[in-house]
Amino acid sequence: MFDIPTYSKIFFNHSTKTDWTTPKALAETLALMLFPEVRAYSYDGFYNKFYNGKSKGKLVFDGAKEEIKHNSMAKYIAQMASKFRSLNFKSKNFDPEKIANEIIEQIKNATNLNGSVRTGLIQSYGLNYHQNIYIFLAESLFYALAMQNDKNTEYIELKLSANDKILTINDQPVWAEIIS
C-alpha cells in the first residue's frame, strides 16, 4: 500500500531533522507542502484525520486539486520540489537518495496504485534521480495523497518550462538564485 502513512513513515525513518521528533510534526510539514493554506484549517485533531483518520487528508487533497486547477500540475510540483529543496538545504535534514530508493520500492510493490500512476512515478524516478530528486519526492507525495483519496487518479506527465529553472540542483538556497 502506497499512501500518506507509508510516505511519512519512510521520511520519518530517514530524517535527521530535530523538528520532526514525532510523526505528527512530519505529517504537518508534509501537509503544508501539499497545500500551504491548510494552516488555516489545522486544529488539535488535524494530524489524526490527515495521517490515519476517516478523511485521509480529503481537505488537503481538495486544496491541492484547486491549486493545480488554477496553475498547472507542472507548476504545482515545481513549487513543491522547490520547497523540498529549501527544507533540505545541503542535505541537512534528510538524505533524498535513500528516501527516494525506499519510496520507489514501495511504489513497485504497492497494490493500490493503478498502472498509470505506477509507471509514471517509476519514469519520474528514472528521469529525476540524478538531475533533481526533489521532483520525484514531490510527485510521489502528491500521488500518495491522491491515491488515498481518489482511486481513479491518472498520472499527469510534467512539462516543466524554462520558468522552472529554479529546480536545478546546486548548493545555493532558492532565494540566492532568485536574486541572481
Side-chain angles (χ1 to χ4, degrees):
M1 185 89 167
F2 185 67
D3 55 7
I4 290 296
T6 303
Y7 192 94
S8 296
K9 187 177 178 182
I10 293 169
F11 247 86
F12 187 73
N13 290 340
H14 292 287
S15 169
T16 58
K17 187 172 182 176
T18 56
D19 291 352
W20 296 337
T21 55
T22 64
K24 178 182 178 185
L26 175 61
E28 289 170 352
T29 300
L30 294 176
L32 286 170
M33 292 186 84
L34 285 159
F35 179 51
E37 283 75 30
V38 79
R39 193 175 296 129
Y41 302 103
S42 63
Y43 52 91
D44 289 342
F46 173 78
Y47 163 74
N48 288 332
K49 288 193 174 210
F50 176 65
Y51 190 74
N52 57 7
K54 268 186 177 177
S55 72
K56 299 280 188 194
K58 183 76 172 133
L59 174 74
V60 176
F61 180 61
D62 290 344
K65 283 194 321 190
E66 280 299 311
E67 282 196 32
I68 291 166
K69 190 187 309 181
H70 289 297
N71 296 310
S72 70
M73 182 66 159
K75 190 170 198 150
Y76 174 76
I77 294 296
Q79 288 171 346
M80 240 190 352
S82 190
K83 289 175 195 173
F84 264 121
R85 199 176 113 231
S86 293
L87 183 69
N88 196 37
F89 179 62
K90 292 190 178 183
S91 297
K92 286 186 207 172
N93 299 321
F94 57 88
D95 182 348
E97 287 83 13
K98 283 183 182 177
I99 290 173
N101 289 334
E102 196 165 327
I103 286 173
I104 198 67
E105 287 306 312
Q106 285 291 326
I107 289 169
K108 288 177 181 176
N109 298 323
T111 58
N112 66 322
L113 296 178
N114 62 36
S116 167
V117 172
R118 182 188 323 275
T119 303
L121 288 174
I122 291 170
Q123 269 185 328
S124 174
Y125 175 81
L127 290 171
N128 297 309
Y129 186 79
H130 296 291
Q131 292 179 340
N132 192 343
I133 196 122
Y134 298 109
I135 292 174
F136 171 72
L137 294 177
E139 277 189 297
S140 57
L141 175 60
F142 173 76
Y143 284 107
L145 178 66
M147 292 306 294
Q148 185 170 290
N149 285 282
D150 181 8
K151 303 292 183 216
N152 297 320
T153 298
E154 292 293 320
Y155 182 82
I156 299 169
E157 189 174 337
L158 296 182
K159 293 179 176 84
L160 298 174
S161 66
N163 295 338
D164 298 322
K165 93 174 187 65
I166 199 164
L167 292 174
T168 58
I169 290 183
N170 59 31
D171 287 334
Q172 289 186 345
V174 173
W175 57 266
E177 287 188 22
I178 292 170
I179 292 173
S180 66

